[in-house]
PDB file of all heavy atoms in Angstrom:
ATOM      1  N   ILE Z   1      24.218 -17.304 -47.299  1.00 96.00           N
ATOM      2  CA  ILE Z   1      25.596 -16.918 -47.585  1.00 96.00           C
ATOM      3  C   ILE Z   1      26.097 -15.957 -46.512  1.00 96.00           C
ATOM      4  O   ILE Z   1      27.252 -16.038 -46.052  1.00 96.00           O
ATOM      5  CB  ILE Z   1      25.725 -16.314 -48.987  1.00 96.00           C
ATOM      6  CG1 ILE Z   1      25.474 -17.402 -50.059  1.00 96.00           C
ATOM      7  CG2 ILE Z   1      27.077 -15.651 -49.207  1.00 96.00           C
ATOM      8  CD1 ILE Z   1      25.355 -16.851 -51.472  1.00 96.00           C
ATOM      9  N   TYR Z   2      25.209 -15.047 -46.107  1.00 95.00           N
ATOM     10  CA  TYR Z   2      25.592 -14.096 -45.024  1.00 95.00           C
ATOM     11  C   TYR Z   2      25.937 -14.861 -43.763  1.00 95.00           C
ATOM     12  O   TYR Z   2      26.977 -14.568 -43.119  1.00 95.00           O
ATOM     13  CB  TYR Z   2      24.428 -13.132 -44.796  1.00 95.00           C
ATOM     14  CG  TYR Z   2      24.546 -12.365 -43.494  1.00 95.00           C
ATOM     15  CD1 TYR Z   2      25.392 -11.250 -43.380  1.00 95.00           C
ATOM     16  CD2 TYR Z   2      23.814 -12.756 -42.365  1.00 95.00           C
ATOM     17  CE1 TYR Z   2      25.500 -10.549 -42.193  1.00 95.00           C
ATOM     18  CE2 TYR Z   2      23.932 -12.050 -41.171  1.00 95.00           C
ATOM     19  CZ  TYR Z   2      24.757 -10.934 -41.100  1.00 95.00           C
ATOM     20  OH  TYR Z   2      24.876 -10.268 -39.899  1.00 95.00           O
ATOM     21  N   TRP Z   3      25.114 -15.829 -43.383  1.00 94.00           N
ATOM     22  CA  TRP Z   3      25.395 -16.613 -42.167  1.00 94.00           C
ATOM     23  C   TRP Z   3      26.643 -17.483 -42.329  1.00 94.00           C
ATOM     24  O   TRP Z   3      27.384 -17.658 -41.374  1.00 94.00           O
ATOM     25  CB  TRP Z   3      24.195 -17.471 -41.818  1.00 94.00           C
ATOM     26  CG  TRP Z   3      23.142 -16.745 -41.080  1.00 94.00           C
ATOM     27  CD1 TRP Z   3      23.323 -15.876 -40.033  1.00 94.00           C
ATOM     28  CD2 TRP Z   3      21.736 -16.785 -41.307  1.00 94.00           C
ATOM     29  NE1 TRP Z   3      22.110 -15.352 -39.637  1.00 94.00           N
ATOM     30  CE2 TRP Z   3      21.105 -15.912 -40.382  1.00 94.00           C
ATOM     31  CE3 TRP Z   3      20.935 -17.483 -42.182  1.00 94.00           C
ATOM     32  CZ2 TRP Z   3      19.755 -15.745 -40.304  1.00 94.00           C
ATOM     33  CZ3 TRP Z   3      19.565 -17.295 -42.146  1.00 94.00           C
ATOM     34  CH2 TRP Z   3      18.968 -16.439 -41.208  1.00 94.00           C
ATOM     35  N   PHE Z   4      26.896 -17.927 -43.554  1.00 95.00           N
ATOM     36  CA  PHE Z   4      28.106 -18.739 -43.746  1.00 95.00           C
ATOM     37  C   PHE Z   4      29.338 -17.887 -43.595  1.00 95.00           C
ATOM     38  O   PHE Z   4      30.380 -18.357 -43.122  1.00 95.00           O
ATOM     39  CB  PHE Z   4      28.094 -19.382 -45.137  1.00 95.00           C
ATOM     40  CG  PHE Z   4      29.200 -20.366 -45.350  1.00 95.00           C
ATOM     41  CD1 PHE Z   4      29.274 -21.524 -44.574  1.00 95.00           C
ATOM     42  CD2 PHE Z   4      30.226 -20.127 -46.294  1.00 95.00           C
ATOM     43  CE1 PHE Z   4      30.312 -22.429 -44.740  1.00 95.00           C
ATOM     44  CE2 PHE Z   4      31.245 -21.034 -46.442  1.00 95.00           C
ATOM     45  CZ  PHE Z   4      31.313 -22.180 -45.698  1.00 95.00           C
ATOM     46  N   ALA Z   5      29.250 -16.601 -43.924  1.00 95.00           N
ATOM     47  CA  ALA Z   5      30.371 -15.677 -43.672  1.00 95.00           C
ATOM     48  C   ALA Z   5      30.657 -15.576 -42.194  1.00 95.00           C
ATOM     49  O   ALA Z   5      31.792 -15.506 -41.779  1.00 95.00           O
ATOM     50  CB  ALA Z   5      30.042 -14.314 -44.283  1.00 95.00           C
ATOM     51  N   LEU Z   6      29.594 -15.568 -41.369  1.00 92.00           N
ATOM     52  CA  LEU Z   6      29.781 -15.554 -39.912  1.00 92.00           C
ATOM     53  C   LEU Z   6      30.415 -16.866 -39.442  1.00 92.00           C
ATOM     54  O   LEU Z   6      31.224 -16.860 -38.509  1.00 92.00           O
ATOM     55  CB  LEU Z   6      28.445 -15.320 -39.214  1.00 92.00           C
ATOM     56  CG  LEU Z   6      27.703 -14.015 -39.542  1.00 92.00           C
ATOM     57  CD1 LEU Z   6      26.474 -13.878 -38.668  1.00 92.00           C
ATOM     58  CD2 LEU Z   6      28.614 -12.811 -39.322  1.00 92.00           C
ATOM     59  N   VAL Z   7      29.990 -17.967 -40.077  1.00 91.00           N
ATOM     60  CA  VAL Z   7      30.607 -19.248 -39.730  1.00 91.00           C
ATOM     61  C   VAL Z   7      32.074 -19.229 -40.036  1.00 91.00           C
ATOM     62  O   VAL Z   7      32.892 -19.747 -39.238  1.00 91.00           O
ATOM     63  CB  VAL Z   7      29.913 -20.385 -40.505  1.00 91.00           C
ATOM     64  CG1 VAL Z   7      30.676 -21.693 -40.345  1.00 91.00           C
ATOM     65  CG2 VAL Z   7      28.474 -20.597 -40.047  1.00 91.00           C
ATOM     66  N   LEU Z   8      32.487 -18.634 -41.143  1.00 92.00           N
ATOM     67  CA  LEU Z   8      33.908 -18.538 -41.479  1.00 92.00           C
ATOM     68  C   LEU Z   8      34.665 -17.698 -40.456  1.00 92.00           C
ATOM     69  O   LEU Z   8      35.838 -17.992 -40.128  1.00 92.00           O
ATOM     70  CB  LEU Z   8      34.060 -17.930 -42.888  1.00 92.00           C
ATOM     71  CG  LEU Z   8      33.537 -18.747 -44.053  1.00 92.00           C
ATOM     72  CD1 LEU Z   8      33.723 -18.018 -45.377  1.00 92.00           C
ATOM     73  CD2 LEU Z   8      34.255 -20.120 -44.117  1.00 92.00           C
ATOM     74  N   ARG Z   9      34.018 -16.687 -39.893  1.00 90.00           N
ATOM     75  CA  ARG Z   9      34.648 -15.924 -38.834  1.00 90.00           C
ATOM     76  C   ARG Z   9      34.892 -16.777 -37.591  1.00 90.00           C
ATOM     77  O   ARG Z   9      35.919 -16.666 -36.924  1.00 90.00           O
ATOM     78  CB  ARG Z   9      33.760 -14.706 -38.462  1.00 90.00           C
ATOM     79  CG  ARG Z   9      33.734 -13.612 -39.513  1.00 90.00           C
ATOM     80  CD  ARG Z   9      32.783 -12.500 -39.129  1.00 90.00           C
ATOM     81  NE  ARG Z   9      33.095 -11.956 -37.832  1.00 90.00           N
ATOM     82  CZ  ARG Z   9      32.343 -11.038 -37.206  1.00 90.00           C
ATOM     83  NH1 ARG Z   9      31.206 -10.649 -37.787  1.00 90.00           N
ATOM     84  NH2 ARG Z   9      32.706 -10.570 -36.056  1.00 90.00           N
ATOM     85  N   ILE Z  10      33.908 -17.637 -37.281  1.00 86.00           N
ATOM     86  CA  ILE Z  10      34.078 -18.526 -36.134  1.00 86.00           C
ATOM     87  C   ILE Z  10      35.235 -19.519 -36.388  1.00 86.00           C
ATOM     88  O   ILE Z  10      36.038 -19.772 -35.508  1.00 86.00           O
ATOM     89  CB  ILE Z  10      32.773 -19.316 -35.882  1.00 86.00           C
ATOM     90  CG1 ILE Z  10      31.640 -18.362 -35.503  1.00 86.00           C
ATOM     91  CG2 ILE Z  10      32.996 -20.348 -34.772  1.00 86.00           C
ATOM     92  CD1 ILE Z  10      30.291 -19.015 -35.355  1.00 86.00           C
ATOM     93  N   ILE Z  11      35.320 -20.041 -37.637  1.00 88.00           N
ATOM     94  CA  ILE Z  11      36.424 -20.909 -37.986  1.00 88.00           C
ATOM     95  C   ILE Z  11      37.764 -20.225 -37.793  1.00 88.00           C
ATOM     96  O   ILE Z  11      38.719 -20.782 -37.239  1.00 88.00           O
ATOM     97  CB  ILE Z  11      36.285 -21.419 -39.426  1.00 88.00           C
ATOM     98  CG1 ILE Z  11      35.033 -22.287 -39.571  1.00 88.00           C
ATOM     99  CG2 ILE Z  11      37.521 -22.236 -39.842  1.00 88.00           C
ATOM    100  CD1 ILE Z  11      34.707 -22.675 -41.012  1.00 88.00           C
ATOM    101  N   TYR Z  12      37.825 -18.970 -38.209  1.00 88.00           N
ATOM    102  CA  TYR Z  12      39.065 -18.179 -38.059  1.00 88.00           C
ATOM    103  C   TYR Z  12      39.413 -18.030 -36.598  1.00 88.00           C
ATOM    104  O   TYR Z  12      40.568 -18.168 -36.203  1.00 88.00           O
ATOM    105  CB  TYR Z  12      38.865 -16.803 -38.695  1.00 88.00           C
ATOM    106  CG  TYR Z  12      40.047 -15.894 -38.481  1.00 88.00           C
ATOM    107  CD1 TYR Z  12      41.200 -16.003 -39.233  1.00 88.00           C
ATOM    108  CD2 TYR Z  12      39.985 -14.874 -37.502  1.00 88.00           C
ATOM    109  CE1 TYR Z  12      42.283 -15.157 -39.050  1.00 88.00           C
ATOM    110  CE2 TYR Z  12      41.048 -14.029 -37.300  1.00 88.00           C
ATOM    111  CZ  TYR Z  12      42.208 -14.168 -38.065  1.00 88.00           C
ATOM    112  OH  TYR Z  12      43.266 -13.341 -37.868  1.00 88.00           O
ATOM    113  N   ARG Z  13      38.406 -17.795 -35.720  1.00 85.00           N
ATOM    114  CA  ARG Z  13      38.686 -17.641 -34.302  1.00 85.00           C
ATOM    115  C   ARG Z  13      39.134 -18.958 -33.675  1.00 85.00           C
ATOM    116  O   ARG Z  13      39.949 -18.946 -32.751  1.00 85.00           O
ATOM    117  CB  ARG Z  13      37.455 -17.089 -33.566  1.00 85.00           C
ATOM    118  CG  ARG Z  13      37.197 -15.604 -33.836  1.00 85.00           C
ATOM    119  CD  ARG Z  13      36.462 -14.980 -32.669  1.00 85.00           C
ATOM    120  NE  ARG Z  13      35.164 -15.622 -32.479  1.00 85.00           N
ATOM    121  CZ  ARG Z  13      34.016 -15.204 -32.998  1.00 85.00           C
ATOM    122  NH1 ARG Z  13      34.018 -14.180 -33.809  1.00 85.00           N
ATOM    123  NH2 ARG Z  13      32.889 -15.858 -32.743  1.00 85.00           N
ATOM    124  N   ILE Z  14      38.564 -20.053 -34.161  1.00 82.00           N
ATOM    125  CA  ILE Z  14      38.959 -21.369 -33.645  1.00 82.00           C
ATOM    126  C   ILE Z  14      40.456 -21.596 -33.943  1.00 82.00           C
ATOM    127  O   ILE Z  14      41.213 -22.050 -33.108  1.00 82.00           O
ATOM    128  CB  ILE Z  14      38.125 -22.495 -34.248  1.00 82.00           C
ATOM    129  CG1 ILE Z  14      36.668 -22.402 -33.777  1.00 82.00           C
ATOM    130  CG2 ILE Z  14      38.702 -23.863 -33.923  1.00 82.00           C
ATOM    131  CD1 ILE Z  14      35.757 -23.418 -34.433  1.00 82.00           C
ATOM    132  N   VAL Z  15      40.817 -21.273 -35.160  1.00 82.00           N
ATOM    133  CA  VAL Z  15      42.223 -21.514 -35.599  1.00 82.00           C
ATOM    134  C   VAL Z  15      43.204 -20.563 -34.888  1.00 82.00           C
ATOM    135  O   VAL Z  15      44.278 -20.966 -34.474  1.00 82.00           O
ATOM    136  CB  VAL Z  15      42.339 -21.370 -37.125  1.00 82.00           C
ATOM    137  CG1 VAL Z  15      43.775 -21.450 -37.585  1.00 82.00           C
ATOM    138  CG2 VAL Z  15      41.495 -22.403 -37.835  1.00 82.00           C
ATOM    139  N   THR Z  16      42.813 -19.300 -34.755  1.00 85.00           N
ATOM    140  CA  THR Z  16      43.753 -18.299 -34.215  1.00 85.00           C
ATOM    141  C   THR Z  16      43.635 -18.076 -32.713  1.00 85.00           C
ATOM    142  O   THR Z  16      44.626 -17.723 -32.067  1.00 85.00           O
ATOM    143  CB  THR Z  16      43.543 -16.955 -34.942  1.00 85.00           C
ATOM    144  OG1 THR Z  16      42.178 -16.494 -34.716  1.00 85.00           O
ATOM    145  CG2 THR Z  16      43.793 -17.102 -36.426  1.00 85.00           C
ATOM    146  N   GLN Z  17      42.412 -18.285 -32.154  1.00 77.00           N
ATOM    147  CA  GLN Z  17      42.209 -17.955 -30.757  1.00 77.00           C
ATOM    148  C   GLN Z  17      41.613 -19.105 -29.935  1.00 77.00           C
ATOM    149  O   GLN Z  17      41.386 -18.952 -28.753  1.00 77.00           O
ATOM    150  CB  GLN Z  17      41.255 -16.746 -30.617  1.00 77.00           C
ATOM    151  CG  GLN Z  17      41.720 -15.523 -31.381  1.00 77.00           C
ATOM    152  CD  GLN Z  17      40.657 -14.424 -31.383  1.00 77.00           C
ATOM    153  OE1 GLN Z  17      39.766 -14.410 -30.539  1.00 77.00           O
ATOM    154  NE2 GLN Z  17      40.738 -13.512 -32.314  1.00 77.00           N
ATOM    155  N   ASN Z  18      41.345 -20.238 -30.581  1.00 68.00           N
ATOM    156  CA  ASN Z  18      40.717 -21.396 -29.944  1.00 68.00           C
ATOM    157  C   ASN Z  18      39.419 -20.953 -29.281  1.00 68.00           C
ATOM    158  O   ASN Z  18      39.082 -21.315 -28.152  1.00 68.00           O
ATOM    159  CB  ASN Z  18      41.642 -22.001 -28.878  1.00 68.00           C
ATOM    160  CG  ASN Z  18      41.158 -23.354 -28.392  1.00 68.00           C
ATOM    161  OD1 ASN Z  18      40.486 -24.043 -29.150  1.00 68.00           O
ATOM    162  ND2 ASN Z  18      41.461 -23.703 -27.166  1.00 68.00           N
ATOM    163  N   ASN Z  19      38.612 -20.205 -30.033  1.00 63.00           N
ATOM    164  CA  ASN Z  19      37.367 -19.611 -29.514  1.00 63.00           C
ATOM    165  C   ASN Z  19      36.203 -20.035 -30.391  1.00 63.00           C
ATOM    166  O   ASN Z  19      36.153 -19.738 -31.574  1.00 63.00           O
ATOM    167  CB  ASN Z  19      37.516 -18.087 -29.549  1.00 63.00           C
ATOM    168  CG  ASN Z  19      36.298 -17.395 -28.923  1.00 63.00           C
ATOM    169  OD1 ASN Z  19      35.349 -18.025 -28.541  1.00 63.00           O
ATOM    170  ND2 ASN Z  19      36.363 -16.063 -28.834  1.00 63.00           N
ATOM    171  N   LEU Z  20      35.244 -20.757 -29.780  1.00 62.00           N
ATOM    172  CA  LEU Z  20      34.086 -21.283 -30.526  1.00 62.00           C
ATOM    173  C   LEU Z  20      32.819 -20.482 -30.284  1.00 62.00           C
ATOM    174  O   LEU Z  20      31.736 -20.985 -30.286  1.00 62.00           O
ATOM    175  CB  LEU Z  20      33.888 -22.758 -30.136  1.00 62.00           C
ATOM    176  CG  LEU Z  20      32.865 -23.588 -30.960  1.00 62.00           C
ATOM    177  CD1 LEU Z  20      33.180 -23.567 -32.438  1.00 62.00           C
ATOM    178  CD2 LEU Z  20      32.834 -25.017 -30.435  1.00 62.00           C
ATOM    179  N   ASP Z  21      32.919 -19.176 -30.062  1.00 65.00           N
ATOM    180  CA  ASP Z  21      31.739 -18.385 -29.815  1.00 65.00           C
ATOM    181  C   ASP Z  21      30.986 -18.078 -31.104  1.00 65.00           C
ATOM    182  O   ASP Z  21      31.569 -17.886 -32.171  1.00 65.00           O
ATOM    183  CB  ASP Z  21      32.113 -17.046 -29.173  1.00 65.00           C
ATOM    184  CG  ASP Z  21      32.406 -17.203 -27.677  1.00 65.00           C
ATOM    185  OD1 ASP Z  21      31.886 -18.166 -27.092  1.00 65.00           O
ATOM    186  OD2 ASP Z  21      33.138 -16.385 -27.137  1.00 65.00           O
ATOM    187  N   ASP Z  22      29.657 -18.001 -30.989  1.00 61.00           N
ATOM    188  CA  ASP Z  22      28.797 -17.624 -32.094  1.00 61.00           C
ATOM    189  C   ASP Z  22      29.020 -16.128 -32.369  1.00 61.00           C
ATOM    190  O   ASP Z  22      29.338 -15.371 -31.491  1.00 61.00           O
ATOM    191  CB  ASP Z  22      27.328 -17.874 -31.690  1.00 61.00           C
ATOM    192  CG  ASP Z  22      26.355 -17.821 -32.842  1.00 61.00           C
ATOM    193  OD1 ASP Z  22      26.736 -17.260 -33.898  1.00 61.00           O
ATOM    194  OD2 ASP Z  22      25.254 -18.322 -32.715  1.00 61.00           O
ATOM    195  N   SER Z  23      28.763 -15.733 -33.643  1.00 56.00           N
ATOM    196  CA  SER Z  23      29.003 -14.365 -34.033  1.00 56.00           C
ATOM    197  C   SER Z  23      27.735 -13.515 -34.069  1.00 56.00           C
ATOM    198  O   SER Z  23      27.654 -12.503 -34.721  1.00 56.00           O
ATOM    199  CB  SER Z  23      29.635 -14.316 -35.446  1.00 56.00           C
ATOM    200  OG  SER Z  23      30.890 -14.914 -35.424  1.00 56.00           O
ATOM    201  N   ARG Z  24      26.697 -13.930 -33.354  1.00 55.00           N
ATOM    202  CA  ARG Z  24      25.417 -13.215 -33.443  1.00 55.00           C
ATOM    203  C   ARG Z  24      24.911 -12.734 -32.094  1.00 55.00           C
ATOM    204  O   ARG Z  24      23.768 -12.415 -31.933  1.00 55.00           O
ATOM    205  CB  ARG Z  24      24.331 -14.116 -34.060  1.00 55.00           C
ATOM    206  CG  ARG Z  24      24.681 -14.658 -35.414  1.00 55.00           C
ATOM    207  CD  ARG Z  24      23.618 -15.561 -35.891  1.00 55.00           C
ATOM    208  NE  ARG Z  24      23.475 -16.736 -35.054  1.00 55.00           N
ATOM    209  CZ  ARG Z  24      22.418 -16.966 -34.290  1.00 55.00           C
ATOM    210  NH1 ARG Z  24      21.417 -16.091 -34.264  1.00 55.00           N
ATOM    211  NH2 ARG Z  24      22.349 -18.032 -33.566  1.00 55.00           N
ATOM    212  N   SER Z  25      25.775 -12.715 -31.096  1.00 51.00           N
ATOM    213  CA  SER Z  25      25.321 -12.623 -29.735  1.00 51.00           C
ATOM    214  C   SER Z  25      24.844 -11.234 -29.326  1.00 51.00           C
ATOM    215  O   SER Z  25      25.220 -10.250 -29.910  1.00 51.00           O
ATOM    216  CB  SER Z  25      26.458 -13.071 -28.881  1.00 51.00           C
ATOM    217  OG  SER Z  25      26.683 -12.305 -27.800  1.00 51.00           O
ATOM    218  N   ASP Z  26      23.974 -11.180 -28.329  1.00 47.00           N
ATOM    219  CA  ASP Z  26      23.677  -9.918 -27.678  1.00 47.00           C
ATOM    220  C   ASP Z  26      24.801  -9.697 -26.667  1.00 47.00           C
ATOM    221  O   ASP Z  26      25.578 -10.565 -26.364  1.00 47.00           O
ATOM    222  CB  ASP Z  26      22.314  -9.928 -26.968  1.00 47.00           C
ATOM    223  CG  ASP Z  26      22.115 -11.193 -26.156  1.00 47.00           C
ATOM    224  OD1 ASP Z  26      22.999 -11.471 -25.341  1.00 47.00           O
ATOM    225  OD2 ASP Z  26      21.077 -11.877 -26.328  1.00 47.00           O
ATOM    226  N   SER Z  27      24.879  -8.483 -26.133  1.00 40.00           N
ATOM    227  CA  SER Z  27      26.005  -8.131 -25.298  1.00 40.00           C
ATOM    228  C   SER Z  27      26.076  -8.931 -24.009  1.00 40.00           C
ATOM    229  O   SER Z  27      27.098  -9.042 -23.394  1.00 40.00           O
ATOM    230  CB  SER Z  27      25.946  -6.629 -24.958  1.00 40.00           C
ATOM    231  OG  SER Z  27      24.738  -6.360 -24.272  1.00 40.00           O
ATOM    232  N   GLU Z  28      24.947  -9.489 -23.560  1.00 40.00           N
ATOM    233  CA  GLU Z  28      24.948 -10.203 -22.312  1.00 40.00           C
ATOM    234  C   GLU Z  28      25.430 -11.639 -22.454  1.00 40.00           C
ATOM    235  O   GLU Z  28      25.545 -12.361 -21.480  1.00 40.00           O
ATOM    236  CB  GLU Z  28      23.521 -10.180 -21.720  1.00 40.00           C
ATOM    237  CG  GLU Z  28      23.040  -8.796 -21.355  1.00 40.00           C
ATOM    238  CD  GLU Z  28      21.678  -8.833 -20.723  1.00 40.00           C
ATOM    239  OE1 GLU Z  28      21.260  -9.932 -20.282  1.00 40.00           O
ATOM    240  OE2 GLU Z  28      21.023  -7.816 -20.655  1.00 40.00           O
ATOM    241  N   ASP Z  29      25.690 -12.067 -23.676  1.00 45.00           N
ATOM    242  CA  ASP Z  29      26.110 -13.445 -23.909  1.00 45.00           C
ATOM    243  C   ASP Z  29      27.630 -13.598 -23.973  1.00 45.00           C
ATOM    244  O   ASP Z  29      28.142 -14.630 -24.324  1.00 45.00           O
ATOM    245  CB  ASP Z  29      25.526 -14.005 -25.221  1.00 45.00           C
ATOM    246  CG  ASP Z  29      24.073 -14.331 -25.036  1.00 45.00           C
ATOM    247  OD1 ASP Z  29      23.645 -14.562 -23.898  1.00 45.00           O
ATOM    248  OD2 ASP Z  29      23.381 -14.365 -26.054  1.00 45.00           O
ATOM    249  N   ASN Z  30      28.385 -12.552 -23.642  1.00 42.00           N
ATOM    250  CA  ASN Z  30      29.834 -12.613 -23.788  1.00 42.00           C
ATOM    251  C   ASN Z  30      30.519 -13.490 -22.774  1.00 42.00           C
ATOM    252  O   ASN Z  30      31.726 -13.691 -22.867  1.00 42.00           O
ATOM    253  CB  ASN Z  30      30.413 -11.180 -23.678  1.00 42.00           C
ATOM    254  CG  ASN Z  30      30.112 -10.358 -24.938  1.00 42.00           C
ATOM    255  OD1 ASN Z  30      30.067 -10.893 -26.012  1.00 42.00           O
ATOM    256  ND2 ASN Z  30      29.901  -9.089 -24.721  1.00 42.00           N
ATOM    257  N   ASP Z  31      29.788 -14.028 -21.785  1.00 40.00           N
ATOM    258  CA  ASP Z  31      30.429 -14.886 -20.796  1.00 40.00           C
ATOM    259  C   ASP Z  31      30.508 -16.314 -21.279  1.00 40.00           C
ATOM    260  O   ASP Z  31      30.752 -17.216 -20.520  1.00 40.00           O
ATOM    261  CB  ASP Z  31      29.642 -14.818 -19.464  1.00 40.00           C
ATOM    262  CG  ASP Z  31      28.198 -15.248 -19.630  1.00 40.00           C
ATOM    263  OD1 ASP Z  31      27.765 -15.434 -20.807  1.00 40.00           O
ATOM    264  OD2 ASP Z  31      27.533 -15.431 -18.619  1.00 40.00           O
ATOM    265  N   GLY Z  32      30.297 -16.514 -22.612  1.00 39.00           N
ATOM    266  CA  GLY Z  32      30.406 -17.860 -23.179  1.00 39.00           C
ATOM    267  C   GLY Z  32      29.102 -18.388 -23.664  1.00 39.00           C
ATOM    268  O   GLY Z  32      28.997 -19.507 -24.112  1.00 39.00           O
ATOM    269  N   ASP Z  33      28.028 -17.568 -23.577  1.00 40.00           N
ATOM    270  CA  ASP Z  33      26.742 -18.009 -24.096  1.00 40.00           C
ATOM    271  C   ASP Z  33      26.774 -18.021 -25.595  1.00 40.00           C
ATOM    272  O   ASP Z  33      27.720 -17.615 -26.227  1.00 40.00           O
ATOM    273  CB  ASP Z  33      25.676 -17.007 -23.560  1.00 40.00           C
ATOM    274  CG  ASP Z  33      24.340 -17.668 -23.404  1.00 40.00           C
ATOM    275  OD1 ASP Z  33      24.164 -18.772 -23.923  1.00 40.00           O
ATOM    276  OD2 ASP Z  33      23.495 -17.085 -22.726  1.00 40.00           O
ATOM    277  N   ASP Z  34      25.645 -18.468 -26.220  1.00 39.00           N
ATOM    278  CA  ASP Z  34      25.667 -18.585 -27.639  1.00 39.00           C
ATOM    279  C   ASP Z  34      25.399 -17.236 -28.249  1.00 39.00           C
ATOM    280  O   ASP Z  34      24.303 -16.896 -28.567  1.00 39.00           O
ATOM    281  CB  ASP Z  34      24.631 -19.591 -28.139  1.00 39.00           C
ATOM    282  CG  ASP Z  34      23.263 -18.998 -28.137  1.00 39.00           C
ATOM    283  OD1 ASP Z  34      22.822 -18.546 -27.090  1.00 39.00           O
ATOM    284  OD2 ASP Z  34      22.644 -19.010 -29.201  1.00 39.00           O
ATOM    285  N   GLY Z  35      26.335 -16.433 -28.460  1.00 39.00           N
ATOM    286  CA  GLY Z  35      26.097 -15.177 -29.015  1.00 39.00           C
ATOM    287  C   GLY Z  35      27.188 -14.616 -29.829  1.00 39.00           C
ATOM    288  O   GLY Z  35      28.119 -15.282 -30.146  1.00 39.00           O
ATOM    289  N   ALA Z  36      27.082 -13.365 -30.129  1.00 35.00           N
ATOM    290  CA  ALA Z  36      27.972 -12.769 -31.082  1.00 35.00           C
ATOM    291  C   ALA Z  36      29.244 -12.234 -30.538  1.00 35.00           C
ATOM    292  O   ALA Z  36      30.230 -12.248 -31.218  1.00 35.00           O
ATOM    293  CB  ALA Z  36      27.255 -11.659 -31.761  1.00 35.00           C
ATOM    294  N   GLY Z  37      29.333 -11.744 -29.394  1.00 37.00           N
ATOM    295  CA  GLY Z  37      30.604 -11.198 -28.930  1.00 37.00           C
ATOM    296  C   GLY Z  37      31.599 -12.258 -28.620  1.00 37.00           C
ATOM    297  O   GLY Z  37      31.258 -13.339 -28.222  1.00 37.00           O
TER     298      GLY Z  37
END
């Protein structure tokens, strides 16, 4: 359920920002890698 809440955040970003980034990333993954930022 905790991870599904993060999935819902990704859905929100897709709808509002067209952004498919994962919500679990380390700081070095912000260039589009699979991470949280």
Side-chain angles (χ1 to χ4, degrees):
I1 292 172
Y2 165 78
W3 278 316
F4 188 64
L6 299 185
V7 170
L8 293 178
R9 288 176 56 187
I10 297 175
I11 296 173
Y12 175 79
R13 286 206 300 267
I14 292 174
V15 174
T16 61
Q17 305 172 21
N18 193 29
N19 184 356
L20 189 56
D21 281 336
D22 193 343
S23 297
R24 303 177 297 111
S25 136
D26 47 53
S27 60
E28 296 182 17
D29 284 337
N30 287 326
D31 59 351
D33 209 346
D34 78 302

